[in-house]
Amino acid sequence: MKTKLFYIYIPLLLCLSINAKAQNQISGMIRDSKNGEPLHVASIYIPDLKIGTISNVAGEYLLRNVQSGTYLIEISLIGYRSIAERIRIEGVSKHDFSLTPTSYELDEVMLTGVATATKKRENPIPVSILNKNELLQSASSNIIDAISELPGISQITVGPSISKPIVRGLGYNRVIVMNDGVRQEGQQWFDEFGIEIDENSVNKVEVLKGPASLRYGSDAMAGVINFLSPTTMAEGNVKGNLAGNFQTNNGLINGSVNLAGNNKGFSWDLLYTGMLAHNYKNKYDGYVWNSGYSENNLKGIFGINKEWGFSHLILSMFNLKLGIVEGLRDSATGNFERHLLASDDTDSLAIAPSDEYKKYNNYPIIHQHVRHYKAVLDNSFVMGTGRLNLRLGLQLNYRQEANDITKGDIYNNYFFLRTLNYDAQYILPEKNKWEVSFGVNGMQQASEDRGIVFVLPEYDLFDIGAFAIAKKTFDKLTITGGLRVDSRTLHGKDLFVDTMGIRLSKPDNYSVHRFTDYHSNFSGFSGSIGFAYDLSQTFYIKANLARGFRAPTAAESGQNGIHDGTPFYEIGEHNLKPENSLQVDATLGLNADDISAELNVFNNKVNNYIFPVKLESVFGGDSIREDNVAGFSGPTFKYIAGDANLSGGELMLDIHPHTISFFNFESAFSMVRAIQLHQDASTKYLPYTPPDKWQSKIKFVAKKLDGIFQNSYISFGVDHYFTQDKIYYQFGNETVTPGYTLINVGIGSEIHSAKGNVCSIYLVGNNLADVAYQSNMSRLKYTDTNNVTGRIGIYNMGRNISLKVLLPLDFKKQ
């Protein structure tokens, strides 16, 4: 496959038509709209070309090596409302901008699911955006935890280190996570497999809430979460920063070092992150045994930007080690237990030692080691009168888990996944306000099981999709639509084991056929059509109709045995059909000087929705099967398909009076109703559906205080999660979850001297009332009962205070 991609890539480079015309550039002045003063260090950025600059002390900017064309240019500065304007650049262009002081963002720019950079207001599909400043002002245990505060977004968790995103009630392989321009592939089919992304490497998060199969193919049924890296450094600058974060609950220590620069179009951006955390605690459980974790991550971006386009090489390494919380308890004391090797070499249990709860890098036998290596070559070339975007990626994912003390500190489960991503898109030049693009993308995967416990078959996968997207802009109306066709092949491989469960190279008279060889072919089409219309300068409406597509995973089609970490014997079905969805979205929005609001509603009908169902014995009761590899038996579940319907929406309100510029009030409510059609009451609701969520925050901001403190803020927030009683209760796997309320406070500021910004400090307190609660999305809710208190399961994190310090370093200024 590597050779094929090489032979595709080289001819494309050779056939490029690179114009050696006179240099195109844009320059101008950036001022404060109220007093007319020039603004220093304002950012001017063209997302489609990945080039930008900053204004000097006189407010002047100059951006060279710009390809001729029409682009959306984003101008931003902390403490001011960002703006975005579409401007034609050809030859020497001049354009001035004015920014308005405010903490509220209006013209947010998005890159996810669109051909070129687009204003959020012009996109018919609902989008939530989280910028770097908002990430700094939050306290989270990982990057998914940070974005779960967004309306319509939630997370499946297994302790503080494992989080999986849920978009409007759907997750796992129904949500695509993008990072560095390619879909992140880390065997996301299992609860205990989180997302391998360093939170310090993320500059911005865009969450597309709705089917995005049109651009990304299979699995984007619920939406796309796109983690964007920092923008390219302005030419002539070399800058860096030192960042540190300490959290009180689990003693988290997170430190990062970053250095970035740009010399005559050659740019680089280097980042190292180290993180340590011991066990977390809450009011009811105290410290939770084996919930600590550590990370060591590296990332480098190397690129060149010229008039012919750009070429960026992105290299990253994610290295996570974490304990796995089992929640085993001593029946007499209710204390957590740990595994010990008895004198006869059998697995025994003893109370976990109290002096080890706050130890760092303390991993008993039950732990995971996750490594993810990635290389992405991201290119954009002038080709004829248009532009060719070409992106190639290679990902190597290693997931190891040690969970049997009788076998020593070895990894019983050892999954390896190699993914090759490819994406080619040609963007035609804008003409008569038409923007048209077309392309192909997909991936090739090879999965290996290098462990001694076999959960699903090894497999090879290849998919390809062709798409076309068009956008037409009128005076107040923007119409966007497109079509796509997809094809995916999946080859599950044979596996033979002996009576002890040991892999055999070939079968014999006593072998067990653990997995059978099978081939599955899936195809489907996706489409989307929608509009955004400005009723006036204040009010706007949007609507979108989209069809999504998802092919079954290897886990759903090929499993045969005890699902590790559960007592359930799961059987895949080779003949499953792809899921298809049809979703309708509608939006009513308001944007005024003092207030903004948006109401999003949706209805998503999913055909062939895949889920496991418990099998009954012909003799009555559960069907019990024995797994000779796992060494025990359990009730049997088999994957089948039915129909599902999800509906709901989000309501967001932001009050920011321009006459009281220091005051900001935000409130949001989100809900989803997820049901399986044609089912009885016990199986009517989809399992682990997020509860209704209401969030409110009051924020006071000050642009300058005595000249030393700038862009200061203090915030008070309340998050209320309603009772979730709409559950899948047939098998007793899910129980009603009571509602709970969390109180959060934040304060922060930049500290300046005569020479500029010295540092930024952010102090955040989450769950200040130290409420003991269980999220219905937490798998730890269903661990052992504490016989002393009668409480079932483990509770979420208690009070947590986070201190972040950011030290900017300027080595060379423009």
Side-chain angles (χ1 to χ4, degrees), residues 563-809:
H563 190 146
D564 190 59
T566 77
F568 307 127
Y569 193 110
E570 295 189 357
I571 303 174
E573 172 54 65
H574 301 340
N575 298 315
L576 287 171
K577 295 180 180 179
E579 294 180 348
N580 291 289
S581 68
L582 187 65
Q583 179 164 321
V584 179
D585 284 279
T587 298
L588 173 62
L590 160 69
N591 258 330
D593 289 339
D594 297 332
I595 185 173
S596 64
E598 189 171 276
L599 172 64
N600 301 319
V601 295
F602 74 95
N603 188 79
N604 187 12
K605 171 69 183 303
V606 183
N607 295 321
N608 301 321
Y609 181 85
I610 300 171
F611 63 98
V613 63
K614 185 182 284 189
L615 300 183
E616 294 183 353
S617 170
V618 295
F619 304 106
D622 295 339
S623 173
I624 305 297
R625 296 199 181 193
E626 183 175 357
D627 188 333
N628 68 309
V629 177
F632 59 93
S633 59
T636 306
F637 286 76
K638 183 179 177 64
Y639 282 96
I640 63 171
D643 296 326
N645 195 89
L646 297 95
S647 59
E650 304 89 34
L651 175 62
M652 291 144 302
L653 173 69
D654 193 308
I655 299 175
H656 44 273
H658 69 280
T659 55
I660 315 175
S661 59
F662 59 84
F663 176 80
N664 182 226
F665 172 74
E666 301 173 7
S667 188
F669 175 77
S670 56
M671 61 168 286
V672 60
R673 298 292 180 265
I675 63 173
Q676 296 191 77
L677 303 178
H678 320 299
Q679 300 290 320
D680 60 30
S682 64
T683 58
K684 175 181 178 180
Y685 296 104
L686 296 185
Y688 310 112
T689 299
D692 297 347
K693 178 172 63 175
W694 172 70
Q695 304 158 283
S696 286
K697 180 190 291 186
I698 295 176
K699 190 174 184 180
F700 300 93
V701 298
K703 191 171 182 298
K704 286 186 179 181
L705 292 174
D706 298 329
I708 298 177
F709 301 99
Q710 297 188 19
N711 299 312
S712 306
Y713 78 94
I714 182 170
S715 65
F716 304 90
V718 175
D719 296 340
H720 180 73
Y721 295 81
F722 291 80
T723 297
Q724 180 55 288
D725 55 7
K726 297 172 177 60
I727 62 172
Y728 186 96
Y729 61 84
Q730 183 180 36
F731 308 128
N733 299 336
E734 187 176 9
T735 58
V736 172
T737 303
Y740 54 91
T741 302
L742 306 178
I743 299 174
N744 312 307
V745 174
I747 184 172
S749 179
E750 294 177 2
I751 299 177
H752 285 246
S753 69
K755 295 183 179 180
N757 187 5
V758 176
C759 70
S760 299
I761 298 177
Y762 306 91
L763 184 65
V764 182
N766 282 353
N767 190 10
L768 283 187
D770 200 24
V771 173
Y773 71 96
Q774 289 178 315
S775 166
N776 81 306
M777 313 290 285
S778 171
R779 290 296 185 260
L780 301 186
K781 182 187 173 193
Y782 302 99
T783 56
D784 283 0
T785 300
N786 185 331
N787 290 333
V788 175
T789 64
R791 300 187 186 101
I792 300 174
I794 296 174
Y795 284 70
N796 287 64
M797 185 178 286
R799 182 188 297 115
N800 185 33
I801 309 298
S802 167
L803 174 64
K804 294 181 183 179
V805 179
L806 186 67
L807 302 174
L809 305 172

